[in-house]
Amino acid sequence: MSTSQPDASRSPGERCTPDHVLHARTGTDVSPEDVVLAAGRDITPRNLEWARRKLETEGPAALDKLLP
């Protein structure tokens, strides 16, 4: 039985996802829910308040800072 190694057939440049593919913001408004989820947190009233404050101080860039 052979084992499949899909990464072995790729060139080194193909192993990483390019930055332009990773960023999900499309120019639309960033919601507190977006920030909470990007931070890997559960949507709770406390986390939503944290995200609102973060958006007030950092603007939409708050989401970009959390994403890879």
mmCIF file of all heavy atoms in Angstrom, residues 7-58:
data_model
loop_
_atom_site.group_PDB
_atom_site.id
_atom_site.type_symbol
_atom_site.label_atom_id
_atom_site.label_comp_id
_atom_site.label_asym_id
_atom_site.label_seq_id
_atom_site.Cartn_x
_atom_site.Cartn_y
_atom_site.Cartn_z
ATOM 1 N N ASP A 7 2.177 17.188 -0.603
ATOM 2 C CA ASP A 7 3.116 18.302 -0.489
ATOM 3 C C ASP A 7 4.438 18.013 -1.183
ATOM 4 O O ASP A 7 5.164 18.920 -1.562
ATOM 5 C CB ASP A 7 3.364 18.661 0.964
ATOM 6 C CG ASP A 7 2.168 19.367 1.589
ATOM 7 O OD1 ASP A 7 1.326 19.889 0.850
ATOM 8 O OD2 ASP A 7 2.100 19.381 2.819
ATOM 9 N N ALA A 8 4.771 16.738 -1.338
ATOM 10 C CA ALA A 8 6.043 16.372 -1.952
ATOM 11 C C ALA A 8 6.076 16.747 -3.426
ATOM 12 O O ALA A 8 7.135 16.985 -3.982
ATOM 13 C CB ALA A 8 6.292 14.882 -1.780
ATOM 14 N N SER A 9 4.920 16.815 -4.070
ATOM 15 C CA SER A 9 4.874 17.137 -5.490
ATOM 16 C C SER A 9 4.838 18.640 -5.757
ATOM 17 O O SER A 9 4.949 19.064 -6.890
ATOM 18 C CB SER A 9 3.660 16.474 -6.137
ATOM 19 O OG SER A 9 2.475 17.007 -5.583
ATOM 20 N N ARG A 10 4.691 19.443 -4.730
ATOM 21 C CA ARG A 10 4.630 20.892 -4.892
ATOM 22 C C ARG A 10 6.019 21.510 -4.823
ATOM 23 O O ARG A 10 6.892 21.029 -4.130
ATOM 24 C CB ARG A 10 3.781 21.515 -3.791
ATOM 25 C CG ARG A 10 2.334 21.136 -3.865
ATOM 26 C CD ARG A 10 1.594 21.846 -2.789
ATOM 27 N NE ARG A 10 0.182 21.498 -2.829
ATOM 28 C CZ ARG A 10 -0.694 21.903 -1.954
ATOM 29 N NH1 ARG A 10 -0.311 22.679 -0.963
ATOM 30 N NH2 ARG A 10 -1.943 21.553 -2.047
ATOM 31 N N SER A 11 6.159 22.610 -5.515
ATOM 32 C CA SER A 11 7.416 23.353 -5.402
ATOM 33 C C SER A 11 7.390 24.148 -4.107
ATOM 34 O O SER A 11 6.317 24.423 -3.568
ATOM 35 C CB SER A 11 7.598 24.279 -6.602
ATOM 36 O OG SER A 11 6.660 25.324 -6.550
ATOM 37 N N PRO A 12 8.547 24.543 -3.581
ATOM 38 C CA PRO A 12 8.593 25.270 -2.309
ATOM 39 C C PRO A 12 7.751 26.544 -2.305
ATOM 40 O O PRO A 12 7.183 26.909 -1.298
ATOM 41 C CB PRO A 12 10.075 25.599 -2.136
ATOM 42 C CG PRO A 12 10.789 24.579 -2.942
ATOM 43 C CD PRO A 12 9.880 24.256 -4.087
ATOM 44 N N GLY A 13 7.623 27.214 -3.422
ATOM 45 C CA GLY A 13 6.832 28.437 -3.485
ATOM 46 C C GLY A 13 5.345 28.204 -3.377
ATOM 47 O O GLY A 13 4.575 29.114 -3.096
ATOM 48 N N GLU A 14 4.878 26.996 -3.601
ATOM 49 C CA GLU A 14 3.461 26.680 -3.569
ATOM 50 C C GLU A 14 2.981 26.217 -2.193
ATOM 51 O O GLU A 14 1.810 25.973 -2.007
ATOM 52 C CB GLU A 14 3.142 25.600 -4.596
ATOM 53 C CG GLU A 14 3.330 26.039 -6.021
ATOM 54 C CD GLU A 14 3.014 24.917 -6.997
ATOM 55 O OE1 GLU A 14 2.176 24.059 -6.676
ATOM 56 O OE2 GLU A 14 3.626 24.891 -8.068
ATOM 57 N N ARG A 15 3.860 26.083 -1.238
ATOM 58 C CA ARG A 15 3.466 25.551 0.065
ATOM 59 C C ARG A 15 2.822 26.598 0.962
ATOM 60 O O ARG A 15 2.087 26.266 1.859
ATOM 61 C CB ARG A 15 4.670 24.937 0.760
ATOM 62 C CG ARG A 15 5.119 23.679 0.056
ATOM 63 C CD ARG A 15 6.184 22.959 0.803
ATOM 64 N NE ARG A 15 6.590 21.801 0.020
ATOM 65 C CZ ARG A 15 7.703 21.179 0.143
ATOM 66 N NH1 ARG A 15 8.581 21.578 1.037
ATOM 67 N NH2 ARG A 15 7.995 20.144 -0.601
ATOM 68 N N CYS A 16 3.104 27.860 0.722
ATOM 69 C CA CYS A 16 2.557 28.936 1.534
ATOM 70 C C CYS A 16 1.454 29.648 0.767
ATOM 71 O O CYS A 16 1.572 29.869 -0.433
ATOM 72 C CB CYS A 16 3.638 29.950 1.906
ATOM 73 S SG CYS A 16 4.929 29.254 2.930
ATOM 74 N N THR A 17 0.406 30.012 1.472
ATOM 75 C CA THR A 17 -0.665 30.775 0.849
ATOM 76 C C THR A 17 -0.230 32.226 0.718
ATOM 77 O O THR A 17 0.219 32.827 1.687
ATOM 78 C CB THR A 17 -1.950 30.696 1.710
ATOM 79 O OG1 THR A 17 -2.275 29.319 1.899
ATOM 80 C CG2 THR A 17 -3.099 31.401 1.038
ATOM 81 N N PRO A 18 -0.371 32.812 -0.460
ATOM 82 C CA PRO A 18 0.043 34.206 -0.650
ATOM 83 C C PRO A 18 -0.797 35.164 0.201
ATOM 84 O O PRO A 18 -1.979 34.907 0.461
ATOM 85 C CB PRO A 18 -0.207 34.466 -2.137
ATOM 86 C CG PRO A 18 -0.504 33.151 -2.757
ATOM 87 C CD PRO A 18 -0.867 32.205 -1.671
ATOM 88 N N ASP A 19 -0.199 36.262 0.625
ATOM 89 C CA ASP A 19 -0.883 37.230 1.473
ATOM 90 C C ASP A 19 -2.177 37.745 0.865
ATOM 91 O O ASP A 19 -3.164 37.919 1.561
ATOM 92 C CB ASP A 19 0.026 38.423 1.782
ATOM 93 C CG ASP A 19 1.031 38.116 2.854
ATOM 94 O OD1 ASP A 19 0.871 37.095 3.552
ATOM 95 O OD2 ASP A 19 1.980 38.897 3.012
ATOM 96 N N HIS A 20 -2.209 37.991 -0.447
ATOM 97 C CA HIS A 20 -3.410 38.565 -1.050
ATOM 98 C C HIS A 20 -4.609 37.606 -0.967
ATOM 99 O O HIS A 20 -5.749 38.034 -1.082
ATOM 100 C CB HIS A 20 -3.147 38.985 -2.503
ATOM 101 C CG HIS A 20 -3.008 37.837 -3.455
ATOM 102 N ND1 HIS A 20 -1.821 37.167 -3.636
ATOM 103 C CD2 HIS A 20 -3.897 37.234 -4.266
ATOM 104 C CE1 HIS A 20 -1.991 36.197 -4.530
ATOM 105 N NE2 HIS A 20 -3.231 36.217 -4.920
ATOM 106 N N VAL A 21 -4.373 36.339 -0.724
ATOM 107 C CA VAL A 21 -5.449 35.368 -0.580
ATOM 108 C C VAL A 21 -5.913 35.284 0.876
ATOM 109 O O VAL A 21 -7.073 35.003 1.158
ATOM 110 C CB VAL A 21 -4.989 33.977 -1.076
ATOM 111 C CG1 VAL A 21 -6.046 32.918 -0.835
ATOM 112 C CG2 VAL A 21 -4.621 34.042 -2.543
ATOM 113 N N LEU A 22 -5.034 35.571 1.813
ATOM 114 C CA LEU A 22 -5.350 35.423 3.225
ATOM 115 C C LEU A 22 -6.269 36.515 3.768
ATOM 116 O O LEU A 22 -7.069 36.266 4.639
ATOM 117 C CB LEU A 22 -4.063 35.414 4.056
ATOM 118 C CG LEU A 22 -3.176 34.200 3.884
ATOM 119 C CD1 LEU A 22 -1.877 34.403 4.644
ATOM 120 C CD2 LEU A 22 -3.877 32.954 4.364
ATOM 121 N N HIS A 23 -6.129 37.718 3.280
ATOM 122 C CA HIS A 23 -6.904 38.823 3.834
ATOM 123 C C HIS A 23 -8.335 38.771 3.323
ATOM 124 O O HIS A 23 -8.583 38.763 2.129
ATOM 125 C CB HIS A 23 -6.234 40.153 3.503
ATOM 126 C CG HIS A 23 -4.861 40.234 4.097
ATOM 127 N ND1 HIS A 23 -4.656 40.415 5.441
ATOM 128 C CD2 HIS A 23 -3.640 40.100 3.552
ATOM 129 C CE1 HIS A 23 -3.359 40.417 5.694
ATOM 130 N NE2 HIS A 23 -2.713 40.224 4.564
ATOM 131 N N ALA A 24 -9.275 38.746 4.261
ATOM 132 C CA ALA A 24 -10.665 38.526 3.909
ATOM 133 C C ALA A 24 -11.487 39.805 3.785
ATOM 134 O O ALA A 24 -12.564 39.780 3.237
ATOM 135 C CB ALA A 24 -11.319 37.619 4.962
ATOM 136 N N ARG A 25 -10.990 40.920 4.277
ATOM 137 C CA ARG A 25 -11.779 42.144 4.269
ATOM 138 C C ARG A 25 -11.950 42.618 2.837
ATOM 139 O O ARG A 25 -11.008 42.732 2.077
ATOM 140 C CB ARG A 25 -11.119 43.226 5.109
ATOM 141 C CG ARG A 25 -12.051 44.379 5.352
ATOM 142 C CD ARG A 25 -11.648 45.174 6.559
ATOM 143 N NE ARG A 25 -10.272 45.573 6.574
ATOM 144 C CZ ARG A 25 -9.835 46.781 6.245
ATOM 145 N NH1 ARG A 25 -10.665 47.700 5.878
ATOM 146 N NH2 ARG A 25 -8.558 47.063 6.328
ATOM 147 N N THR A 26 -13.191 42.936 2.470
ATOM 148 C CA THR A 26 -13.502 43.338 1.103
ATOM 149 C C THR A 26 -13.914 44.796 1.025
ATOM 150 O O THR A 26 -14.622 45.195 0.122
ATOM 151 C CB THR A 26 -14.630 42.466 0.543
ATOM 152 O OG1 THR A 26 -15.784 42.618 1.385
ATOM 153 C CG2 THR A 26 -14.245 41.013 0.466
ATOM 154 N N GLY A 27 -13.514 45.608 1.974
ATOM 155 C CA GLY A 27 -13.877 47.010 1.960
ATOM 156 C C GLY A 27 -15.187 47.293 2.665
ATOM 157 O O GLY A 27 -15.605 48.431 2.752
ATOM 158 N N THR A 28 -15.844 46.259 3.137
ATOM 159 C CA THR A 28 -17.094 46.450 3.864
ATOM 160 C C THR A 28 -16.785 46.793 5.308
ATOM 161 O O THR A 28 -15.656 46.662 5.774
ATOM 162 C CB THR A 28 -17.967 45.177 3.808
ATOM 163 O OG1 THR A 28 -17.231 44.104 4.392
ATOM 164 C CG2 THR A 28 -18.338 44.820 2.384
ATOM 165 N N ASP A 29 -17.803 47.238 6.018
ATOM 166 C CA ASP A 29 -17.619 47.573 7.424
ATOM 167 C C ASP A 29 -17.208 46.338 8.220
ATOM 168 O O ASP A 29 -17.651 45.229 7.940
ATOM 169 C CB ASP A 29 -18.908 48.134 8.017
ATOM 170 C CG ASP A 29 -19.244 49.505 7.464
ATOM 171 O OD1 ASP A 29 -18.307 50.231 7.081
ATOM 172 O OD2 ASP A 29 -20.430 49.836 7.426
ATOM 173 N N VAL A 30 -16.369 46.574 9.197
ATOM 174 C CA VAL A 30 -15.930 45.503 10.089
ATOM 175 C C VAL A 30 -16.815 45.547 11.323
ATOM 176 O O VAL A 30 -16.940 46.590 11.968
ATOM 177 C CB VAL A 30 -14.449 45.688 10.485
ATOM 178 C CG1 VAL A 30 -14.021 44.621 11.470
ATOM 179 C CG2 VAL A 30 -13.568 45.663 9.252
ATOM 180 N N SER A 31 -17.427 44.432 11.652
ATOM 181 C CA SER A 31 -18.316 44.379 12.809
ATOM 182 C C SER A 31 -17.571 43.851 14.028
ATOM 183 O O SER A 31 -16.539 43.183 13.894
ATOM 184 C CB SER A 31 -19.511 43.473 12.514
ATOM 185 O OG SER A 31 -19.098 42.122 12.463
ATOM 186 N N PRO A 32 -18.093 44.140 15.208
ATOM 187 C CA PRO A 32 -17.494 43.566 16.414
ATOM 188 C C PRO A 32 -17.449 42.036 16.361
ATOM 189 O O PRO A 32 -16.501 41.428 16.841
ATOM 190 C CB PRO A 32 -18.403 44.062 17.538
ATOM 191 C CG PRO A 32 -18.984 45.329 17.013
ATOM 192 C CD PRO A 32 -19.159 45.090 15.530
ATOM 193 N N GLU A 33 -18.459 41.439 15.749
ATOM 194 C CA GLU A 33 -18.473 39.976 15.625
ATOM 195 C C GLU A 33 -17.289 39.492 14.794
ATOM 196 O O GLU A 33 -16.681 38.473 15.106
ATOM 197 C CB GLU A 33 -19.789 39.500 14.983
ATOM 198 C CG GLU A 33 -20.994 39.633 15.878
ATOM 199 C CD GLU A 33 -21.632 41.022 15.821
ATOM 200 O OE1 GLU A 33 -21.126 41.914 15.100
ATOM 201 O OE2 GLU A 33 -22.625 41.229 16.519
ATOM 202 N N ASP A 34 -16.943 40.236 13.734
ATOM 203 C CA ASP A 34 -15.787 39.876 12.910
ATOM 204 C C ASP A 34 -14.506 39.870 13.740
ATOM 205 O O ASP A 34 -13.681 38.971 13.621
ATOM 206 C CB ASP A 34 -15.610 40.867 11.755
ATOM 207 C CG ASP A 34 -16.746 40.836 10.752
ATOM 208 O OD1 ASP A 34 -17.387 39.777 10.607
ATOM 209 O OD2 ASP A 34 -16.976 41.876 10.106
ATOM 210 N N VAL A 35 -14.353 40.895 14.581
ATOM 211 C CA VAL A 35 -13.150 41.016 15.405
ATOM 212 C C VAL A 35 -13.082 39.887 16.432
ATOM 213 O O VAL A 35 -12.036 39.286 16.633
ATOM 214 C CB VAL A 35 -13.093 42.398 16.091
ATOM 215 C CG1 VAL A 35 -11.915 42.491 17.045
ATOM 216 C CG2 VAL A 35 -13.024 43.504 15.050
ATOM 217 N N VAL A 36 -14.216 39.590 17.059
ATOM 218 C CA VAL A 36 -14.254 38.517 18.058
ATOM 219 C C VAL A 36 -13.864 37.187 17.410
ATOM 220 O O VAL A 36 -13.029 36.450 17.945
ATOM 221 C CB VAL A 36 -15.654 38.413 18.720
ATOM 222 C CG1 VAL A 36 -15.781 37.150 19.555
ATOM 223 C CG2 VAL A 36 -15.922 39.646 19.578
ATOM 224 N N LEU A 37 -14.433 36.877 16.267
ATOM 225 C CA LEU A 37 -14.134 35.610 15.600
ATOM 226 C C LEU A 37 -12.696 35.559 15.109
ATOM 227 O O LEU A 37 -12.041 34.520 15.204
ATOM 228 C CB LEU A 37 -15.114 35.378 14.450
ATOM 229 C CG LEU A 37 -16.570 35.147 14.870
ATOM 230 C CD1 LEU A 37 -17.472 35.073 13.645
ATOM 231 C CD2 LEU A 37 -16.707 33.898 15.724
ATOM 232 N N ALA A 38 -12.174 36.671 14.603
ATOM 233 C CA ALA A 38 -10.783 36.704 14.143
ATOM 234 C C ALA A 38 -9.817 36.491 15.296
ATOM 235 O O ALA A 38 -8.727 35.958 15.105
ATOM 236 C CB ALA A 38 -10.489 38.027 13.448
ATOM 237 N N ALA A 39 -10.228 36.888 16.500
ATOM 238 C CA ALA A 39 -9.389 36.705 17.684
ATOM 239 C C ALA A 39 -9.501 35.287 18.238
ATOM 240 O O ALA A 39 -8.798 34.927 19.179
ATOM 241 C CB ALA A 39 -9.772 37.721 18.762
ATOM 242 N N GLY A 40 -10.387 34.481 17.664
ATOM 243 C CA GLY A 40 -10.543 33.106 18.128
ATOM 244 C C GLY A 40 -11.345 33.000 19.417
ATOM 245 O O GLY A 40 -11.237 32.016 20.139
ATOM 246 N N ARG A 41 -12.161 34.007 19.674
ATOM 247 C CA ARG A 41 -12.959 34.022 20.897
ATOM 248 C C ARG A 41 -14.409 33.668 20.586
ATOM 249 O O ARG A 41 -14.858 33.758 19.442
ATOM 250 C CB ARG A 41 -12.919 35.410 21.541
ATOM 251 C CG ARG A 41 -11.538 35.850 21.949
ATOM 252 C CD ARG A 41 -11.590 37.222 22.555
ATOM 253 N NE ARG A 41 -10.268 37.656 22.998
ATOM 254 C CZ ARG A 41 -10.066 38.725 23.744
ATOM 255 N NH1 ARG A 41 -11.077 39.474 24.121
ATOM 256 N NH2 ARG A 41 -8.847 39.055 24.106
ATOM 257 N N ASP A 42 -15.140 33.297 21.623
ATOM 258 C CA ASP A 42 -16.573 33.050 21.499
ATOM 259 C C ASP A 42 -17.306 34.381 21.489
ATOM 260 O O ASP A 42 -16.877 35.353 22.116
ATOM 261 C CB ASP A 42 -17.090 32.212 22.662
ATOM 262 C CG ASP A 42 -16.558 30.789 22.637
ATOM 263 O OD1 ASP A 42 -16.322 30.268 21.529
ATOM 264 O OD2 ASP A 42 -16.376 30.205 23.720
ATOM 265 N N ILE A 43 -18.435 34.416 20.785
ATOM 266 C CA ILE A 43 -19.242 35.636 20.762
ATOM 267 C C ILE A 43 -20.065 35.679 22.051
ATOM 268 O O ILE A 43 -21.042 34.945 22.200
ATOM 269 C CB ILE A 43 -20.144 35.680 19.516
ATOM 270 C CG1 ILE A 43 -19.263 35.737 18.271
ATOM 271 C CG2 ILE A 43 -21.083 36.873 19.569
ATOM 272 C CD1 ILE A 43 -20.006 35.777 16.965
ATOM 273 N N THR A 44 -19.619 36.507 22.965
ATOM 274 C CA THR A 44 -20.307 36.739 24.234
ATOM 275 C C THR A 44 -20.450 38.244 24.400
ATOM 276 O O THR A 44 -19.739 39.017 23.751
ATOM 277 C CB THR A 44 -19.495 36.182 25.423
ATOM 278 O OG1 THR A 44 -18.262 36.913 25.523
ATOM 279 C CG2 THR A 44 -19.209 34.688 25.269
ATOM 280 N N PRO A 45 -21.340 38.700 25.266
ATOM 281 C CA PRO A 45 -21.474 40.140 25.482
ATOM 282 C C PRO A 45 -20.152 40.802 25.896
ATOM 283 O O PRO A 45 -19.819 41.892 25.422
ATOM 284 C CB PRO A 45 -22.520 40.248 26.596
ATOM 285 C CG PRO A 45 -23.363 39.024 26.416
ATOM 286 C CD PRO A 45 -22.383 37.954 25.983
ATOM 287 N N ARG A 46 -19.390 40.138 26.727
ATOM 288 C CA ARG A 46 -18.110 40.700 27.183
ATOM 289 C C ARG A 46 -17.122 40.831 26.025
ATOM 290 O O ARG A 46 -16.443 41.853 25.869
ATOM 291 C CB ARG A 46 -17.535 39.812 28.281
ATOM 292 C CG ARG A 46 -16.252 40.331 28.856
ATOM 293 C CD ARG A 46 -15.772 39.445 29.966
ATOM 294 N NE ARG A 46 -14.525 39.972 30.513
ATOM 295 C CZ ARG A 46 -13.872 39.433 31.491
ATOM 296 N NH1 ARG A 46 -14.337 38.332 32.061
ATOM 297 N NH2 ARG A 46 -12.759 39.962 31.928
ATOM 298 N N ASN A 47 -17.026 39.789 25.185
ATOM 299 C CA ASN A 47 -16.114 39.832 24.048
ATOM 300 C C ASN A 47 -16.571 40.841 22.987
ATOM 301 O O ASN A 47 -15.745 41.482 22.344
ATOM 302 C CB ASN A 47 -15.952 38.449 23.432
ATOM 303 C CG ASN A 47 -15.143 37.524 24.307
ATOM 304 O OD1 ASN A 47 -14.389 37.962 25.165
ATOM 305 N ND2 ASN A 47 -15.301 36.232 24.100
ATOM 306 N N LEU A 48 -17.879 40.980 22.811
ATOM 307 C CA LEU A 48 -18.382 41.973 21.862
ATOM 308 C C LEU A 48 -18.055 43.383 22.325
ATOM 309 O O LEU A 48 -17.703 44.242 21.511
ATOM 310 C CB LEU A 48 -19.889 41.808 21.664
ATOM 311 C CG LEU A 48 -20.303 40.588 20.850
ATOM 312 C CD1 LEU A 48 -21.816 40.409 20.892
ATOM 313 C CD2 LEU A 48 -19.811 40.697 19.412
ATOM 314 N N GLU A 49 -18.141 43.640 23.614
ATOM 315 C CA GLU A 49 -17.780 44.956 24.150
ATOM 316 C C GLU A 49 -16.289 45.212 23.957
ATOM 317 O O GLU A 49 -15.880 46.311 23.589
ATOM 318 C CB GLU A 49 -18.165 45.061 25.620
ATOM 319 C CG GLU A 49 -17.915 46.426 26.206
ATOM 320 C CD GLU A 49 -18.609 47.548 25.455
ATOM 321 O OE1 GLU A 49 -19.734 47.348 24.960
ATOM 322 O OE2 GLU A 49 -18.008 48.639 25.354
ATOM 323 N N TRP A 50 -15.465 44.200 24.183
ATOM 324 C CA TRP A 50 -14.024 44.320 23.949
ATOM 325 C C TRP A 50 -13.763 44.686 22.480
ATOM 326 O O TRP A 50 -12.965 45.570 22.177
ATOM 327 C CB TRP A 50 -13.336 43.000 24.311
ATOM 328 C CG TRP A 50 -11.944 42.883 23.785
ATOM 329 C CD1 TRP A 50 -10.811 43.424 24.324
ATOM 330 C CD2 TRP A 50 -11.529 42.215 22.588
ATOM 331 N NE1 TRP A 50 -9.722 43.115 23.540
ATOM 332 C CE2 TRP A 50 -10.137 42.377 22.469
ATOM 333 C CE3 TRP A 50 -12.202 41.485 21.616
ATOM 334 C CZ2 TRP A 50 -9.409 41.841 21.407
ATOM 335 C CZ3 TRP A 50 -11.473 40.952 20.563
ATOM 336 C CH2 TRP A 50 -10.094 41.132 20.478
ATOM 337 N N ALA A 51 -14.467 44.009 21.573
ATOM 338 C CA ALA A 51 -14.280 44.249 20.142
ATOM 339 C C ALA A 51 -14.755 45.648 19.757
ATOM 340 O O ALA A 51 -14.111 46.312 18.944
ATOM 341 C CB ALA A 51 -15.021 43.190 19.338
ATOM 342 N N ARG A 52 -15.850 46.124 20.340
ATOM 343 C CA ARG A 52 -16.333 47.478 20.053
ATOM 344 C C ARG A 52 -15.291 48.515 20.450
ATOM 345 O O ARG A 52 -15.009 49.449 19.703
ATOM 346 C CB ARG A 52 -17.645 47.747 20.783
ATOM 347 C CG ARG A 52 -18.846 47.126 20.120
ATOM 348 C CD ARG A 52 -20.149 47.570 20.792
ATOM 349 N NE ARG A 52 -21.199 46.649 20.434
ATOM 350 C CZ ARG A 52 -21.566 45.583 21.142
ATOM 351 N NH1 ARG A 52 -20.996 45.326 22.297
ATOM 352 N NH2 ARG A 52 -22.514 44.791 20.710
ATOM 353 N N ARG A 53 -14.713 48.332 21.641
ATOM 354 C CA ARG A 53 -13.679 49.272 22.091
ATOM 355 C C ARG A 53 -12.459 49.220 21.176
ATOM 356 O O ARG A 53 -11.873 50.251 20.832
ATOM 357 C CB ARG A 53 -13.277 48.972 23.537
ATOM 358 C CG ARG A 53 -14.341 49.331 24.560
ATOM 359 C CD ARG A 53 -13.803 49.274 25.990
ATOM 360 N NE ARG A 53 -13.074 48.067 26.306
ATOM 361 C CZ ARG A 53 -13.609 46.947 26.784
ATOM 362 N NH1 ARG A 53 -14.913 46.884 27.016
ATOM 363 N NH2 ARG A 53 -12.855 45.898 27.054
ATOM 364 N N LYS A 54 -12.083 48.010 20.772
ATOM 365 C CA LYS A 54 -10.926 47.840 19.889
ATOM 366 C C LYS A 54 -11.181 48.534 18.543
ATOM 367 O O LYS A 54 -10.302 49.211 18.011
ATOM 368 C CB LYS A 54 -10.650 46.344 19.696
ATOM 369 C CG LYS A 54 -9.340 46.022 19.029
ATOM 370 C CD LYS A 54 -9.027 44.557 19.226
ATOM 371 C CE LYS A 54 -7.704 44.160 18.657
ATOM 372 N NZ LYS A 54 -6.565 44.795 19.295
ATOM 373 N N LEU A 55 -12.380 48.396 18.005
ATOM 374 C CA LEU A 55 -12.719 49.052 16.746
ATOM 375 C C LEU A 55 -12.753 50.571 16.891
ATOM 376 O O LEU A 55 -12.367 51.297 15.972
ATOM 377 C CB LEU A 55 -14.065 48.543 16.218
ATOM 378 C CG LEU A 55 -14.038 47.173 15.562
ATOM 379 C CD1 LEU A 55 -15.455 46.682 15.289
ATOM 380 C CD2 LEU A 55 -13.228 47.217 14.276
ATOM 381 N N GLU A 56 -13.201 51.063 18.041
ATOM 382 C CA GLU A 56 -13.234 52.509 18.270
ATOM 383 C C GLU A 56 -11.830 53.098 18.278
ATOM 384 O O GLU A 56 -11.618 54.188 17.764
ATOM 385 C CB GLU A 56 -13.942 52.833 19.591
ATOM 386 C CG GLU A 56 -15.435 52.679 19.538
ATOM 387 C CD GLU A 56 -16.086 52.899 20.898
ATOM 388 O OE1 GLU A 56 -15.409 53.329 21.847
ATOM 389 O OE2 GLU A 56 -17.297 52.629 20.996
ATOM 390 N N THR A 57 -10.887 52.379 18.858
ATOM 391 C CA THR A 57 -9.529 52.917 18.972
ATOM 392 C C THR A 57 -8.669 52.640 17.743
ATOM 393 O O THR A 57 -7.861 53.475 17.354
ATOM 394 C CB THR A 57 -8.805 52.364 20.220
ATOM 395 O OG1 THR A 57 -8.740 50.944 20.130
ATOM 396 C CG2 THR A 57 -9.519 52.771 21.492
ATOM 397 N N GLU A 58 -8.858 51.475 17.095
ATOM 398 C CA GLU A 58 -7.981 51.080 15.988
ATOM 399 C C GLU A 58 -8.646 51.147 14.619
ATOM 400 O O GLU A 58 -7.970 51.053 13.605
ATOM 401 C CB GLU A 58 -7.458 49.659 16.219
ATOM 402 C CG GLU A 58 -6.654 49.508 17.489
ATOM 403 C CD GLU A 58 -6.223 48.085 17.743
ATOM 404 O OE1 GLU A 58 -6.165 47.287 16.778
ATOM 405 O OE2 GLU A 58 -5.935 47.762 18.901
#
